[in-house]
Amino acid sequence: MKGQHEKMWQGLGLDLGAHDALLEVLKKGYQDVYLAQKNRPEGMGYLDFVMSEVHGLRIKELIDEKAAGRKVIGSFCVFVPEEIVRAADATLVGLCTGADFVTEEVERFLPRNTCSLIKSAFGFKLGKACPYIEASDMIVGENTCDGKKKSYETLKDLVSGVYVMDIPQMKSQEGRALLKAEYFRFKEAVEKLADITIDADRLRKGIEIVNNKRKALHRLSSLRKANPVSVSGLDALLVNQVQFYDEPVRFTDSVNKICDELEVRTGKGEGVFPESTPRILLSGCPMAVPNWKLPWIIETAGAVIVGEESCVGERGVRNLTDSSGSTVDELMEAILDRYFKVDCAIFTPNPERLDHIVEMYDAYQADGVIHYSLQFCQPYLTESIPVEKALEARDIPTLRIETDYSLEDLGQLKTRVEAFVELIG
Ligand code: BJ8
């Protein structure tokens, strides 16, 4: 991908040396973690291609779209409604937040005890290595956790086009009213940016595109309920990660093709791991590309991940948006209904999340739950303690992991995960 795209990266202002080094690490990591797996579905070849061109052809597509007058909007959170962005013929992309980059430089702007995800966003910006942020016409920051909320104040000085969306912290009537007002304000901002008025037809079309993508992801999740399971947790995670970058209609078709293949495999009783493999439900913070450390440890420790209770997983895609409304107001209300159900740990109290973990544990026939929190992530770390207690009270084996993006704790994590897998096996 390198030579072919250098001019484009230069045009975006990337630091070519740093960016090349990043791509090398990414390529090696992908080979070691993904291509080393056995018995992968053939359809994953599409994802391999997307990953090999994630900073190349996909960026070219975005630049071509921009040249044709369309807008690109970058986001860090699943509370940003893609339906509204699609309704304005714009494209929503997830921004790079899954790896450490120029950490020393980042710590000149953020406290050391900031979670890796936020530091990563800053690192990619400061190190000039994320083509998505450079290609974005608007970057939506959301007031979710304190770390993100405060860091956007600083991000505004580093990058233009930052738009801050307020997010409620309670599932109350007032909370809902706040989210409603914010979604209408966002719609107006997107209309202004794209110079398009969003009418009911446009909004419905946007909802349908996003619903279809989520339906394909639901289909994939559902196939993971089988034993033996026909796809690894690593591959399923990759599909969930790529949904934030790829063109949605093409992505939906590709996921449906993978599901067709998995249905055949499941019908024949074929699995990627033997039937007796301990099944893990992973729960907690989102995992952005290329944060594959913990899933890789789990699946090389003799277990298989059958579901992710995460924003890069089921929490992010669980519900569809009702597209039956005939007016913009009705459709906006449906969007609000859908997003207000997202049970992120920033909400207090947040009992639905525990219910969903238990539901998923049963539905995916899991043998244990691994709760994953990023170091310094107050919402998920704090919630992990009552979650663990509640799960153990139901006799659900639970392992609480706190980690970051570095590889320093690899050995220690491996030991803990292997002991847990042995216990539940
Ligand atoms: S809806 S989970 S995507 S906010 S890991 S930055 S919470 S300190 S990412 Fe999230 Fe939206 Fe919620 Fe989902 Fe803060 Fe924690 Fe860091 Fe986090």
Side-chain angles (χ1 to χ4, degrees), residues 76-79 114-118 142 144-148 284-286 310-312 315 342-347 373-380:
F76 300 106
C77 179
V78 299
F79 267 107
T114 301
C115 86
S116 298
L117 192 144
I118 300 171
E142 15 58 58
T144 45
C145 63
D146 284 353
K148 275 180 163 179
C285 291
S310 156
C311 285
V312 182
R315 189 187 319 122
V342 175
D343 48 359
C344 171
I346 57 136
F347 282 92
S373 305
L374 277 175
Q375 208 177 11
F376 309 123
C377 169
Q378 296 306 334
Y380 283 90

Side-chain angles (χ1 to χ4, degrees), residues 327-341:
T327 64
V328 168
D329 279 357
E330 283 170 2
L331 293 166
M332 286 292 286
E333 202 66 42
I335 291 174
L336 181 66
D337 282 343
R338 192 247 162 220
Y339 284 87
F340 202 50
K341 290 188 194 126

Side-chain angles (χ1 to χ4, degrees), residues 143-146 149 166-171 175 178 346-349:
N143 290 343
T144 45
C145 63
D146 284 353
K149 181 160 68 188
D166 205 7
I167 301 286
Q169 312 271 293
M170 292 179 82
K171 297 275 174 80
L178 169 63
I346 57 136
F347 282 92
T348 179

Side-chain angles (χ1 to χ4, degrees), residues 170-215:
M170 292 179 82
K171 297 275 174 80
S172 57
Q173 265 188 354
E174 292 78 8
R176 192 184 153 96
L178 169 63
L179 194 63
K180 181 171 179 173
E182 284 299 293
Y183 279 2
F184 271 95
R185 188 171 70 88
F186 180 61
K187 179 173 93 51
E188 276 168 31
V190 173
E191 286 177 323
K192 192 168 163 210
L193 179 78
D195 196 19
I196 279 176
T197 303
I198 297 177
D199 59 18
D201 283 344
R202 282 184 162 275
L203 200 48
R204 194 174 310 102
K205 201 171 153 230
I207 290 173
E208 278 160 7
I209 291 173
V210 181
N211 273 351
N212 287 339
K213 174 160 86 167
R214 292 190 181 131
K215 278 183 203 162

Side-chain angles (χ1 to χ4, degrees), residues 250-271:
R250 181 178 61 205
F251 172 81
T252 303
D253 286 347
S254 309
V255 177
N256 277 321
K257 277 192 196 122
I258 294 173
C259 292
D260 292 342
E261 191 184 340
L262 297 187
E263 264 167 20
V264 175
R265 280 186 168 201
T266 306
K268 290 190 201 155
E270 282 174 12

